[in-house]
Amino acid sequence: MSAHFAPQTLPSSTALERPSDNCWNPVPSPSMARVVSNSDDELIRLKLRRIQQGAAIRYMDMFAGCGGISLGFLTAGFTPVASIEIDPWAALSHGANFGSRSAGGDRPAHHVPRDAVAETAESVFSDLELDGATDDQIDVLVGGPPCQAFARVGRAKLREQARRREEVTADQAFLIDGRVSLWQRYVEFIRATKPVALLMENVPDILNHGGNNVAELVSKCLAEEGYDVAYTLLNAAWYGVPQMRERMILVGFHRSTGIKPRFPTPTHHIDLPPGYIGSKNAARRVLKDEGSEHHRWIEDPVRSSLPATSASEALADLPPLYAQDMLRTGQIRRGAKDPSEPVDYTAIHPTTAYSRLMREWLGFATDATTGHVFRYLPRDYKIFAEIESGWEYPQVHAHVERRIAAWLANRKRRGLSTNARNPEVRHFIASWRIPYDPNKFPNKWWKLHADRPVRTLMAHLSKDSYSHIHFDSEQARTITIREAARLQSFPDGFVFKGSMNPAFKQIGNAVPPLFAYAIARGMRECLGAPKTLDMRVKLLGLPRSQITTTEGTP
């Protein structure tokens, strides 16, 4: 989900309470409404009949990023038709992985960035040289409107920028960020393309954005468009992704199909840490205070489910990279890294079920991988070697300061200078001291636990990777591009275009494909499409009996 935005005016509370205003849908006369409704219903039923008879289930991905949702749906047996993504590198990655697999074959138009604000469904289909009516090109519309303005971390950045501009509205800066209204573009594309089904993904904070439940607002707008819609909060770790990533998932089916929205039942158990439980509790408070017609509660996974995928299981078979040794021998140095360089595995056959999934993913199987490169951080490798799993920045900072103090105390005992102007003292302190205020950046550093899923990967990986330091102290480094991709459940055969920073950004912005696959399999079942084999049974060892769906509870 990359940033597509144009400046917007601050919406009034009245506007946010009136879904018809936000959907800017002129009220037609009763006779016109019947004509439109009847025509739409007939088209939807024809599409559904095609699907149930075994025809391709065609989908379009809006705000596609490099293709996390796209990959999940492709693997579940859906056929990509078109995508919209404004970031040039992400658009190139999407084209590289899905262009040749798209309806109508690979075309240059699959590889170019597109602005959701400027594009229309008609312009996209025209560029792809697709014949036929706009409303008969796709069966499913999926997408995740950019979440930065909804997320707390995004709000902080917007506030900071606003204060620098000395805006009086700094504390509400996130409310006027243009990305907030991009869900409206999503609704416009729904109206133009008339899909049978739809999916929207976003961060949990969309349930409490400036005091408004935007997910409920979107649901009401989609209901006005003729869709039966439900949304919930799901965690990617519940579906085998080795990452705790809480997301709002909204699913809808056109009302004329008679299909009720359903969600995949969790298949993997994990005891979530307090921070992730807090997101759910915050959502509960909002829903309790405001009420909700479209929200559904999904039960947490039962303890008899498979255990959540751990970081060590996820990274199995990738060759170790010992940063301190590489630094001493000159194997790593400052400058652009080449993510396209091929890398061999440490084992001929996968050693964990998750590694098997990564190496043998349907359509992306590979005998080697790429992107196994990490950041040049010469000061920090020795620090990574000494800190413990689970440590955050304040603990790391305190450890480093204790180490500096012990070194200075030892010099003093030996009668040596401890003056900061002394060259030896100055050099030692500079080679160890980390400059950030531990009170302002508590989450800036974090060392992975080998035996559990990792924290949420974010686009900030493109700035630095301290949030995900490898659990192996001997390797003493941050994670590589390929390791980040695995932790996000991108298979080893998936290609990321661009250098290290664009690749990390694409991965951090993406929806985990394995998570998307679980949702897509559930939607395929709801649509009544012919049954197909579930990849997770063979590759992950997931019992068929655990692959079910649920409507949830109001």
Side-chain angles (χ1 to χ4, degrees):
M1 300 182 298
S2 297
H4 304 60
F5 64 95
Q8 300 288 320
T9 57
L10 181 67
S12 68
S13 58
T14 304
L16 287 168
E17 293 168 359
R18 296 173 59 193
S20 58
D21 288 350
N22 281 274
C23 295
W24 63 87
N25 188 16
V27 179
S29 66
S31 59
M32 176 63 76
R34 280 194 301 274
V35 170
V36 173
S37 177
N38 290 340
S39 174
D40 290 352
D41 290 355
E42 182 179 353
L43 175 63
I44 295 294
R45 283 193 289 266
L46 285 172
K47 289 183 176 183
L48 182 61
R49 194 175 304 125
R50 285 181 55 261
I51 292 170
Q52 294 176 344
Q53 291 173 350
I57 314 174
R58 307 161 298 173
Y59 72 93
M60 179 178 187
D61 192 347
M62 288 190 69
F63 317 105
C66 63
I69 295 180
S70 284
L71 181 55
F73 275 75
L74 172 71
T75 311
F78 294 66
T79 300
V81 172
S83 64
I84 295 179
E85 171 52 45
I86 198 170
D87 181 85
W89 287 116
L92 283 173
S93 294
H94 197 282
N97 290 284
F98 302 102
S100 63
R101 296 170 166 93
S102 298
D106 201 359
R107 297 181 184 278
H110 282 301
H111 303 257
V112 298
R114 297 181 182 279
D115 185 351
V117 175
E119 294 277 4
T120 64
E122 291 84 354
S123 67
V124 175
F125 297 149
S126 175
D127 282 354
L128 292 169
E129 302 177 35
L130 299 175
D131 297 326
T134 299
D135 60 7
D136 195 25
Q137 296 294 337
I138 64 169
D139 307 301
V140 180
L141 184 69
V142 302
C147 60
Q148 290 92 333
F150 296 120
R152 288 186 177 92
V153 289
R155 297 181 194 182
K157 184 176 181 180
L158 286 166
R159 288 190 184 103
E160 180 185 358
Q161 292 172 343
R163 288 193 179 97
R164 286 176 179 174
R165 295 191 298 267
E166 298 182 350
E167 293 179 5
V168 295
T169 57
D171 285 330
Q172 291 184 314
F174 64 92
L175 286 175
I176 58 175
D177 182 48
R179 292 170 291 195
V180 173
S181 66
L182 286 173
W183 63 266
Q184 295 174 325
R185 293 294 297 157
Y186 179 89
V187 174
E188 281 192 336
F189 273 73
I190 292 283
R191 186 177 298 135
T193 58
K194 304 292 188 298
V196 180
L198 57 91
L199 166 71
M200 178 185 283
E201 175 270 355
N202 219 291
V203 292
D205 288 343
I206 194 174
L207 272 65
N208 185 21
H209 179 69
N212 296 280
N213 183 347
V214 179
E216 188 71 20
L217 174 63
V218 173
S219 297
K220 290 177 179 178
C221 286
L222 292 170
E224 290 184 2
E225 297 297 325
Y227 290 85
D228 193 346
V229 176
Y231 64 92
T232 191
L233 294 181
L234 300 175
N235 198 295
W238 291 355
Y239 302 93
V241 178
Q243 175 193 171
M244 295 173 287
R245 191 181 189 92
E246 195 85 8
R247 285 299 182 263
M248 187 283 300
I249 299 298
L250 182 152
V251 173
F253 295 90
H254 197 274
R255 203 169 291 122
S256 65
T257 65
I259 300 172
K260 293 293 183 183
R262 299 180 68 86
F263 301 93
T265 304
T267 56
H268 291 68
H269 176 265
I270 181 175
D271 292 318
L272 293 170
Y276 292 87
I277 296 173
S279 295
K280 285 187 175 296
N281 290 337
R284 286 189 175 101
R285 288 193 294 271
V286 171
L287 294 165
K288 181 179 179 180
D289 293 343
E290 298 185 9
S292 171
E293 180 183 350
H294 299 279
H295 178 266
R296 300 293 180 267
W297 291 108
I298 305 299
E299 292 293 328
D300 289 1
V302 297
R303 290 190 174 275
S304 59
S305 303
L306 292 176
T309 307
S310 69
S312 61
E313 291 173 316
L315 305 187
D317 307 336
L318 294 175
L321 300 171
Y322 300 104
Q324 293 188 89
D325 290 344
M326 294 174 68
L327 183 64
R328 280 193 293 268
T329 57
Q331 294 177 70
I332 183 170
R333 57 180 64 88
R334 187 180 304 278
K337 312 299 185 295
D338 182 9
S340 64
E341 183 178 345
V343 176
D344 292 328
Y345 298 113
T346 58
I348 296 174
H349 303 291
T351 58
T352 68
Y354 191 84
S355 177
R356 180 169 61 241
L357 177 69
M358 295 293 95
R359 294 170 63 170
E360 300 177 12
W361 186 291
L362 185 63
F364 288 81
T366 181
D367 294 326
T369 188
T370 58
H372 201 39
V373 292
F374 59 94
R375 291 193 180 281
Y376 178 74
L377 302 168
R379 180 199 64 198
D380 301 323
Y381 299 143
K382 58 185 178 295
I383 300 175
F384 298 156
E386 295 187 1
I387 64 178
E388 298 179 14
S389 291
W391 278 18
E392 295 182 312
Y393 185 72
Q395 293 163 291
V396 178
H397 186 274
H399 172 79
V400 169
E401 291 302 310
R402 285 194 300 269
R403 211 181 194 293
I404 293 173
W407 185 84
L408 291 172
N410 182 54
R411 281 182 65 86
K412 186 174 182 180
R413 282 194 301 270
R414 293 157 54 200
L416 300 175
S417 171
T418 59
N419 190 303
R421 289 191 293 270
N422 178 280
E424 284 186 62
V425 173
R426 186 170 61 247
H427 173 76
F428 182 86
I429 292 176
S431 69
W432 278 91
R433 177 158 285 159
I434 45 181
Y436 310 105
D437 185 340
N439 297 314
K440 293 182 179 180
F441 302 97
N443 300 318
K444 184 172 180 62
W445 289 40
W446 183 67
K447 189 169 183 176
L448 279 56
H449 290 278
D451 61 352
R452 64 195 74 172
V454 305
R455 290 179 176 178
T456 305
L457 284 92
M458 296 183 290
H460 188 77
L461 285 169
S462 66
K463 306 297 183 184
D464 65 59
S465 305
Y466 291 115
S467 62
H468 289 75
I469 301 166
H470 200 287
F471 54 78
D472 184 357
S473 294
E474 291 188 8
Q475 296 191 56
R477 57 176 174 78
T478 53
I479 58 174
T480 67
I481 294 171
R482 183 52 58 187
E483 288 167 340
R486 278 201 175 190
L487 295 171
Q488 193 75 300
S489 76
F490 280 99
D492 291 350
F494 195 93
V495 176
F496 297 98
K497 294 295 185 179
S499 59
M500 179 180 287
N501 288 350
F504 272 130
K505 181 180 179 181
Q506 292 168 56
I507 293 166
N509 273 332
V511 176
L514 184 59
F515 183 30
Y517 179 77
I519 297 166
R521 291 289 306 186
M523 292 180 68
R524 181 186 176 95
E525 176 186 312
C526 289
L527 290 167
K531 292 184 177 181
T532 57
L533 295 177
D534 192 306
M535 171 183 69
R536 295 170 293 178
V537 174
K538 177 182 178 182
L539 299 183
L540 270 186
L542 184 63
R544 285 189 176 86
S545 60
Q546 290 191 20
I547 303 174
T548 61
T549 58
T550 177
E551 287 187 24
T553 56

